[in-house]
Amino acid sequence: MKIIIRITVCIYLFFILLTRFLAFASIIPEERLLPRLVDDAYLLTEYEYRSLLEKLDQISEHEQFDIVIVTTDSLGGYTSDEYADDFYNYNGYGIGAGYDGILLLISMEERDWAISTHGFGVTAFTDAGQKRLVDQFIGDLSDGNYFSAFNKFADMSENYIIQAKTEEPYDSPNLPKNELPSQLPERELSPYLPVITTAIGVVIAFIITSIMALQLKSVRMQTAAGNYIKDNSLKIIESRDVFLYANLSKTKIQKAQSSSSGSSTHRSSSGRTHGGSRGKF
């Protein structure tokens, strides 16, 4: 009887452990479960939401790199970076074998922001690069211009991804300038434009100089400089060069100080490696 009870208990414990294992194994889904824009704090109008989601989807699919924005009213006791990491992992974000992507979290509870990067995102968004990225939209966040802030985040993220794929990731000291890249389409210039503009400039210059020449009626060309000197007004008896003093200035050349570069990383609750940063707005 005792043997049967022990066997029953062992089987029961085995099934409990198996159930927990299967549940844990299914926590991180293989595919994305939610849209790339989750506005649980309702910071955007319906039009703004649709417009921004379309942009995030277009950039993400084109670059094969998830760009995600999440807003919430509360962190539920987590820190902002913990919340961002878990939201990214447990909702199946990330494209490709490395689950490449970046997530921007906005919490209105205590006005927190956090960035979580994963896969190629850790490479493309260095610590220095993230700081410059946040500088682009933090002012709009503080002022409540959330739609503008999120659009800047999306546009700059695309710029960072392209930079990291084609050249070197933005990092110290090769950081992007403090303005967004131009979104205007490039137009081809006519090959005759330089000739036309030069001809117009010559004609305008000729007209202006002709008018000025006509106004100088009292001016006559002089063949020598003597006409400009008053008789007996200047007599040079003796001349010599005397060295008085010299000024010598020295400037110390400062050596460039090395700065930290790359991305700092940490482990999330799922065991995955993430980069990122956080702050207040």
Side-chain angles (χ1 to χ4, degrees):
M1 186 67 180
K2 291 182 179 180
I3 295 177
I4 296 175
I5 294 175
R6 288 178 181 178
I7 294 174
T8 303
V9 171
C10 290
I11 293 174
Y12 176 73
L13 293 175
F14 172 77
F15 276 108
I16 290 178
L17 293 175
L18 179 62
T19 302
R20 290 184 177 180
F21 173 79
L22 294 176
F24 177 78
S26 62
I27 285 178
I28 300 179
E30 292 295 327
E31 297 181 356
R32 178 167 53 87
L33 302 180
L34 297 175
R36 294 184 175 98
L37 176 59
V38 179
D39 186 23
D40 286 343
Y42 298 99
L43 303 181
L44 303 171
T45 66
E46 183 178 352
Y47 167 79
E48 291 172 341
Y49 179 89
R50 292 199 310 268
S51 175
L52 184 57
L53 178 59
E54 182 179 1
K55 172 181 284 192
L56 293 175
D57 286 339
Q58 287 179 349
I59 298 174
S60 298
E61 295 298 331
H62 185 268
E63 299 301 331
Q64 285 298 287
F65 184 100
D66 266 345
I67 303 176
V68 184
I69 299 175
V70 178
T71 73
T72 183
D73 287 322
S74 173
L75 295 175
Y78 292 91
T79 63
S80 57
D81 53 347
E82 290 173 344
Y83 192 102
D85 291 343
D86 287 351
F87 200 98
Y88 187 96
N89 293 331
Y90 298 136
N91 288 291
Y93 291 110
I95 296 180
Y99 299 97
D100 305 330
I102 183 173
L103 181 146
L104 171 64
L105 169 71
I106 301 299
S107 173
M108 300 305 294
E109 185 176 22
E110 295 186 11
R111 299 182 69 83
D112 291 288
W113 64 264
I115 289 177
S116 177
T117 60
H118 193 271
F120 185 68
V122 177
T123 301
F125 295 85
T126 64
D127 293 345
Q130 287 182 52
K131 184 178 184 303
R132 181 59 59 87
L133 173 64
V134 173
D135 288 342
Q136 303 299 311
F137 64 80
I138 194 67
D140 283 327
L141 274 184
S142 300
D143 294 339
N145 300 323
Y146 302 111
F147 184 60
S148 175
F150 296 158
N151 271 284
K152 289 180 180 179
F153 171 77
D155 291 334
M156 290 299 295
S157 294
E158 180 184 22
N159 185 26
Y160 275 53
I161 298 164
I162 295 174
Q163 172 72 17
K165 286 182 177 179
T166 57
E167 298 182 34
E168 295 262 339
Y170 284 129
D171 201 355
S172 300
N174 63 318
L175 292 170
K177 296 180 179 179
N178 282 327
E179 63 267 0
L180 289 170
S182 175
Q183 301 297 321
L184 296 177
E186 296 183 358
R187 295 183 173 86
E188 294 186 1
L189 298 178
S190 170
Y192 301 104
L193 183 60
V195 178
I196 295 174
T197 55
T198 302
I200 294 175
V202 171
V203 171
I204 294 175
F206 176 78
I207 294 174
I208 293 175
T209 53
S210 298
I211 294 174
M212 294 174 63
L214 293 175
Q215 294 176 347
L216 299 176
K217 297 181 179 179
S218 61
V219 177
R220 297 291 185 271
M221 182 180 294
Q222 302 295 327
T223 59
N227 294 327
Y228 298 98
I229 301 176
K230 185 177 180 181
D231 294 340
N232 300 321
S233 61
L234 177 63
K235 293 182 180 181
I236 300 176
I237 301 175
E238 181 181 358
S239 64
R240 57 180 178 173
D241 295 329
V242 179
F243 179 78
L244 298 177
Y245 57 88
N247 288 327
L248 179 63
S249 60
K250 296 182 179 180
T251 303
K252 183 179 179 180
I253 300 177
Q254 300 288 344
K255 294 183 178 180
Q257 299 293 327
S258 60
S259 57
S260 59
S261 59
S263 300
S264 56
T265 59
H266 59 273
R267 291 276 186 178
S268 66
S269 64
S270 67
R272 288 184 173 182
T273 300
H274 288 260
S277 53
R278 62 178 179 172
K280 301 282 187 179
F281 65 93

